[in-house]
Amino acid sequence: MKTFYTFSSVLLAVGFGLTACEDHRLSPNASFPERINFVAQRQYPEGFAYSAQLDRFLVSSITQGKVGTVDVNGNYADLIAPPELISSMGMRVADGRLFVCNADQGVSTKSTPQTTRKTAELLVFNIASRQLERRVDLDDLYTSPAHLANDLAVQPDGTVYVTDSFAPVIYKVMPNGQASVLVENPLFASATFGLNGIVYHPNGYLIVAVTSAGKLYKVDLKNGNAISEVGGLPNLPGDGLSLLNGDLYVVTGSGSQVAQLRSTDDWKTATVVKRDTEGYSQATTNVAVNGSIYSLNARIGEISAAMGDASKLQSNTYSIQKFR
């Protein structure tokens, strides 16, 4: 059992009250182009968010365990690089805090034999102070030969849900930091890469992508966490997910496109209403900003191609693409 510390636990629990909402829906001080190119040395930024507080996109780093910012002009700067963060994966911003999935695929400068393919954690940072406020161990909650915390969703009351791509579970972290397994199901199991993107729907359920199966599932939080496949869809190996104006945007096609999905029956079924295939290459995830969807071209395919050899990961150029 790993031992972790928690900062300002009482204040954090109060802060995670009923006002928790993502800090990226509207940023009137910024004008967003259709494409933003940026340079960040060996960043490999799998996770992506936006902070109106900083007026910047936030990008993670699989290889360096840090988080950086990118402005609308493509200027990159490091934001945080704490020693606890091995590989920063999925991220969300809510109530002035940055929620980050911490994992280890064995290609980070901080990777060790003890943490490689065995790490699933949730780290919470105060954006203003850049300080770590909470670190929650998740991998000890479920016995599995491998773990990888991939993506997360934040409920309005501050509850966080985290997917594990190497174990068939979704974790739940309460506003006070108490963690548990929300659901475990063989539908989420995979010999390669299982659970991936996740979103919280305001009607009280989660939508998650299982990449290897090419399917989306609904987890009904108001009905005993009942799990059902979202029907009516073609094979859709999903990565990152974002909701905007009731539609779901899915990074798919090995990061070569974003599919816009729509449902008329509360996501019992859905249809693909549009696919945007221009401007995407090895994309991972997306975020809603000012009424538009932006996706991150992260060179994610190079991670698996490196076969665990971090010296092969030397790319410095990345981009952010608007859905059209």
Side-chain angles (χ1 to χ4, degrees):
M1 173 73 73
K2 295 187 280 292
T3 301
F4 295 153
Y5 51 87
T6 302
F7 293 111
S8 306
S9 58
V10 175
L11 290 176
L12 193 62
V14 173
F16 286 0
L18 297 177
T19 61
C21 60
E22 293 192 14
D23 192 19
H24 62 243
R25 293 296 177 187
L26 184 63
S27 184
N29 298 322
S31 175
F32 296 88
E34 285 198 350
R35 188 175 180 88
I36 302 170
N37 297 306
F38 65 97
V39 175
Q41 293 186 356
R42 299 188 64 252
Q43 187 79 11
Y44 290 93
E46 198 273 350
F48 192 39
Y50 187 84
S51 169
Q53 179 179 342
L54 298 176
D55 211 14
R56 300 286 189 276
F57 289 98
L58 304 182
V59 294
S60 72
S61 176
I62 292 177
T63 52
Q64 297 173 68
K66 62 181 181 179
V67 176
T69 65
V70 180
D71 67 18
V72 294
N73 297 312
N75 298 306
Y76 172 86
D78 286 345
L79 180 69
I80 55 171
E84 300 86 357
L85 193 52
I86 303 170
S87 286
S88 47
M89 302 289 285
M91 305 189 299
R92 291 288 189 277
V93 170
D95 280 348
R97 293 180 176 87
L98 173 64
F99 298 76
V100 185
C101 290
N102 190 23
D104 188 359
Q105 292 173 272
V107 294
S108 171
T109 56
K110 305 174 189 178
S111 294
T112 69
Q114 291 73 36
T115 59
T116 296
R117 294 178 61 87
K118 301 173 184 176
T119 303
E121 298 173 8
L122 172 67
L123 273 59
V124 184
F125 299 89
N126 184 291
I127 292 177
S129 68
R130 315 294 200 261
Q131 295 301 305
L132 176 66
E133 290 188 335
R134 175 164 289 163
R135 185 181 183 187
V136 183
D137 178 31
L138 301 172
D139 50 71
D140 279 341
L141 297 172
Y142 183 81
T143 301
S144 173
H147 289 280
L148 182 89
N150 188 307
D151 200 9
L152 62 93
V154 182
Q155 192 172 306
D157 69 354
T159 302
V160 182
Y161 303 95
V162 180
T163 59
D164 192 326
S165 293
F166 294 163
V169 294
I170 299 172
Y171 306 104
K172 177 181 180 180
V173 182
M174 298 294 290
N176 64 3
Q178 181 180 355
S180 62
V181 171
L182 175 74
V183 289
E184 180 272 336
N185 197 289
L187 291 171
F188 301 153
S190 173
T192 53
F193 218 80
L195 284 162
N196 204 320
I198 182 172
V199 292
Y200 173 80
H201 193 283
N203 286 352
Y205 50 84
L206 304 171
I207 301 175
V208 296
V210 178
T211 303
S212 57
K215 296 179 179 180
L216 298 177
Y217 291 94
K218 175 180 174 179
V219 182
D220 192 342
L221 303 174
K222 294 182 177 181
N223 185 28
N225 304 323
I227 299 169
S228 57
E229 181 182 346
V230 178
L233 294 171
N235 184 270
L236 197 72
D239 197 331
L241 311 177
S242 283
L243 283 168
L244 178 63
N245 298 327
D247 288 350
L248 183 68
Y249 293 79
V250 183
V251 176
T252 187
S254 298
S256 65
Q257 61 182 270
V258 175
Q260 179 183 3
L261 312 185
R262 186 168 298 161
S263 176
T264 58
D265 56 7
D266 216 21
W267 295 94
K268 295 181 179 66
T269 63
T271 57
V272 178
V273 296
K274 184 177 180 181
R275 291 180 186 261
D276 188 3
T277 59
E278 297 297 324
Y280 305 99
S281 177
Q282 300 184 58
T284 52
T285 191
N286 47 35
V287 65
V289 184
N290 278 9
S292 297
I293 292 291
Y294 283 83
S295 299
L296 177 64
N297 290 319
R299 296 184 178 271
I300 192 64
E302 295 179 21
I303 297 293
S304 56
M307 300 294 288
D309 183 354
S311 67
K312 297 178 180 179
L313 300 172
Q314 299 296 329
S315 293
N316 301 323
T317 58
Y318 306 91
S319 61
I320 298 167
Q321 177 65 46
K322 180 180 179 180
F323 184 92
R324 295 167 294 186

